[in-house]
Amino acid sequence: MWYVIEGHDAEGALSRRREARPAHLARLQALRDAGRLLVAGPCPAVDAEDPGPAGFSGSVVIARFGSLGEARAWADADPYVAAGVYSRTDVRPFLPVLP
């Protein structure tokens, strides 16, 4: 089943986000290479493709996992969690309809 993982950035997390980004991306690339990643990306804190010092409000990942528990465990092990980038992470089932 597909799951949406939404990480919500902590206040002032931009420098920690930049530091942990390579490890975060490596995990996403592993999901992609396994054919389990639908989409992933950050949410700019302002209405701009490059938010500059405003940074990001969080990230969204939609990926396939065997269960909700497996998706939560994967989300909890994210380098952004360990680095204190995310203050909260929500995980819920997702049913793609379109396109």
Side-chain angles (χ1 to χ4, degrees), residues 10 16 25 33 46-47 50 65 76 80 84 87 98:
R16 294 187 304 275
L25 289 179
D33 293 349
V46 295
D47 190 14
D50 180 359
F65 294 94
D76 288 346
Y80 280 179
S87 62
L98 292 173

Side-chain angles (χ1 to χ4, degrees), residues 2-3 6 15 18 23 34 39 42 47 51 55-56 58-59 65 69 72 88 90 95:
W2 294 100
Y3 295 89
E6 186 174 9
S15 64
R18 287 181 179 141
V39 67
D47 190 14
F56 300 91
S59 303
F65 294 94
R72 284 181 202 244
R88 180 176 106 239
D90 299 323
L95 296 173

Side-chain angles (χ1 to χ4, degrees), residues 8-9 11 30 50 59 64 75-77 85 88:
H8 302 268
D9 278 25
E11 190 71 29
D50 180 359
S59 303
R64 187 182 301 272
D76 288 346
V85 174
R88 180 176 106 239

Side-chain angles (χ1 to χ4, degrees), residues 17-31:
R17 177 183 269 273
R18 287 181 179 141
E19 239 177 73
R21 189 170 189 260
H24 172 77
L25 289 179
R27 294 180 81 231
L28 291 171
Q29 290 164 345
L31 282 178

Side-chain angles (χ1 to χ4, degrees), residues 61-77:
V61 174
I62 301 177
R64 187 182 301 272
F65 294 94
S67 68
L68 179 59
E70 185 183 320
R72 284 181 202 244
W74 187 91
D76 288 346

